[in-house]
Amino acid sequence: MKEYNISLLAGDGTGPEVVNEAVKVLQKTQADYGINFNFTVNDLGGERYLKTQELVTDKDIEELGSSDSILLGAIGHPDVKPGILEQGILLKLRKEFDQYINLRPVVLYPGVETPLANKKPEDINFTVVRENTEGLYAGAGGYIHYGTESEVATQESINTYKAIHRCILYAFEYAKNNNRKKITLCAKTNVLTYAHDLWERIFYDIAKDYPEIETDYGHVDAVCMWMVKNPEWFDVIVTDNMFGDIITDLGAMIQGGMGIAAGGNINPEGVSMFEPIGGSAPKYTGKNIINPLACIAAASMMVTQLGESDYGQAIEDAIIATAQNLDSLSAGKMGLTTSEVGDAVLESIKNK
Ligand code: IPM
Ligand code: MN
């Protein structure tokens, strides 16, 4: 029996409801895969912040840092000023644990509706590898003459050889290990002539060691266009933090929306954190109508990252089977409740 310690950061809004379903699926299937998960619940989030003014404490870091992986529900609270929880919790944890890859599969499952006309599952099946520690997210910048008409605000994009190199290397290794044939570098070399020139040089340098993988380049604006018009062109996309943020929301939409989209903040040598992409959805909170599939998909990615890829695949297969039978992936329109969707995934794994 293998043991894994998992920290549950259920968080705010509908976070606890969807994490519950993911945990239910894991708890009731783990034994079949020779695994025992020890779950620890951490109360980090907007609700706790409002009560205690605490964001991430040393105790949180110690607790989360001693786990094998983290499953996050949602962070966000309507009564907290935008930016505080994002910076103070989500971005803080990514940096603290050096989760230098944001991995976002964009896969259209059979039977799931995409807003793209005439596109089928075989057309929408790629993965975005987003640099997750620097670029415009590095926090470099400041104000001069704050609050006056002479105010100057700067926000610099930081691009280091080290961070770019490990990100692009990860993308090539990911492609190799997942039978992907092509990697597209998404950047803006015609305007960001220093930062993205560095990206481009490192990209083609690393590519030399992977002659079997085809390389391609797209400016970010064109990539947005092609993601809508010809998503079948993409296999793996590697990109910087800001562009990755933007194109993965577009990716989530073409794969059927927030009900299904999941991602991982990965430190391949450390503690990773997996999450459904959707937010805390205050208006659906407590109603048992939110779609838990994205969080279950996050759990599937987590299990795969832990090295249990057969188990991860079994969960994904069950998500595919369940998604196919829902009326819609949107909250309140699924034809099933949140907990019934969790039960359906469970049934499907058990009946395999
Ligand atoms: C994401 C989110 C975050 C980001 C926000 C909440 C800070 O949009 O994970 O994509 O911009 O990275
Ligand atoms: Mn985002």
Side-chain angles (χ1 to χ4, degrees):
M1 195 70 96
K2 274 197 241 169
E3 300 267 338
Y4 294 109
N5 298 322
I6 307 297
S7 286
L8 300 175
L9 247 172
D12 303 309
T14 50
E17 292 170 65
V18 295
V19 165
N20 254 341
E21 296 311 307
V23 168
K24 176 168 87 186
V25 168
L26 295 178
Q27 267 173 340
K28 297 197 172 157
T29 53
Q30 56 186 354
D32 301 338
Y33 291 87
I35 289 168
N36 182 44
F37 291 110
N38 303 307
F39 294 106
T40 309
V41 179
N42 183 294
D43 65 352
L44 197 48
E47 205 62 61
R48 186 181 91 180
Y49 172 72
L50 286 172
K51 272 193 222 120
T52 66
Q53 297 296 302
E54 279 173 348
L55 291 161
V56 179
T57 63
D58 290 349
K59 190 166 162 278
D60 293 323
I61 295 293
E62 198 186 304
E63 188 181 306
L64 300 172
S66 66
S67 65
D68 294 303
S69 201
I70 304 168
L71 184 63
L72 176 102
I75 301 283
H77 200 289
D79 302 337
V80 182
K81 195 173 145 231
I84 294 180
L85 303 173
E86 292 89 331
Q87 292 285 338
I89 300 180
L90 200 55
L91 299 184
K92 165 87 180 163
L93 291 176
R94 286 179 184 170
K95 287 209 178 109
E96 184 69 37
F97 296 121
D98 201 20
Q99 292 161 343
Y100 62 85
I101 298 297
N102 194 307
L103 191 68
R104 282 276 299 106
V106 178
V107 181
L108 177 66
Y109 293 138
V112 170
E113 201 184 331
T114 172
L116 302 187
N118 307 320
K119 293 298 176 189
K120 309 224 149 33
E122 58 268 31
D123 300 317
I124 303 176
N125 185 342
F126 60 92
T127 301
V128 179
V129 176
R130 164 186 172 191
E131 201 289 317
N132 212 29
T133 60
E134 53 178 45
L136 280 167
Y137 282 69
Y143 307 107
I144 312 173
H145 308 305
Y146 183 85
T148 73
E149 287 185 3
S150 309
E151 180 161 354
V152 179
T154 59
Q155 191 98 43
E156 279 191 274
S157 175
I158 303 299
N159 295 261
T160 65
Y161 179 92
K162 182 184 156 200
I164 301 168
H165 192 276
R166 67 183 179 175
C167 174
I168 294 177
L169 189 62
Y170 182 93
F172 275 93
E173 281 296 306
Y174 178 90
K176 189 170 109 185
N177 297 330
N178 291 278
N179 204 22
R180 298 283 187 173
K181 310 282 183 237
K182 177 178 164 187
I183 305 194
T184 304
L185 171 64
C186 166
K188 187 80 183 171
T189 52
N190 54 346
V191 174
L192 306 180
T193 48
Y194 308 118
H196 286 183
D197 178 58
L198 180 57
W199 273 82
E200 193 177 35
R201 280 183 280 132
I202 296 172
F203 180 71
Y204 286 109
D205 202 35
I206 292 179
K208 285 186 207 139
D209 295 332
Y210 299 83
E212 71 288 1
I213 298 173
E214 189 193 334
T215 52
D216 197 4
Y217 173 83
H219 291 318
V220 62
D221 44 353
V223 167
C224 288
M225 202 166 76
W226 301 127
M227 274 174 70
V228 172
K229 188 154 184 297
N230 295 97
E232 64 278 7
W233 288 355
F234 298 114
D235 205 3
V236 173
I237 299 177
V238 65
T239 191
D240 80 359
N241 209 341
M242 187 80 257
F243 291 171
D245 178 46
I246 298 167
I247 70 169
T248 53
D249 265 25
L250 178 52
M253 285 302 119
I254 69 172
Q255 78 181 109
M258 294 304 179
I260 196 90
N265 300 280
I266 297 177
N267 177 340
E269 299 88 34
V271 181
S272 301
M273 178 167 74
F274 296 84
E275 54 178 330
I277 310 259
S280 55
K283 83 173 179 202
Y284 300 128
T285 301
K287 299 197 168 132
N288 199 24
I289 58 172
I290 191 80
N291 187 346
L293 286 181
C295 191
I296 300 172
S300 151
M301 289 180 76
M302 176 179 84
V303 166
T304 299
Q305 179 69 25
L306 288 168
E308 307 292 343
S309 50
D310 290 346
Y311 188 11
Q313 188 62 54
I315 300 172
E316 188 182 351
D317 291 344
I319 293 169
I320 296 171
T322 305
Q324 217 157 3
N325 291 327
L326 296 181
D327 296 346
S328 151
L329 295 186
S330 306
K333 298 183 187 147
M334 299 185 291
L336 294 179
T337 62
T338 304
S339 41
E340 284 168 348
V341 173
D343 292 339
V345 173
L346 195 52
E347 283 290 292
S348 173
I349 303 179
K350 288 283 187 191
N351 292 334
K352 245 184 93 174

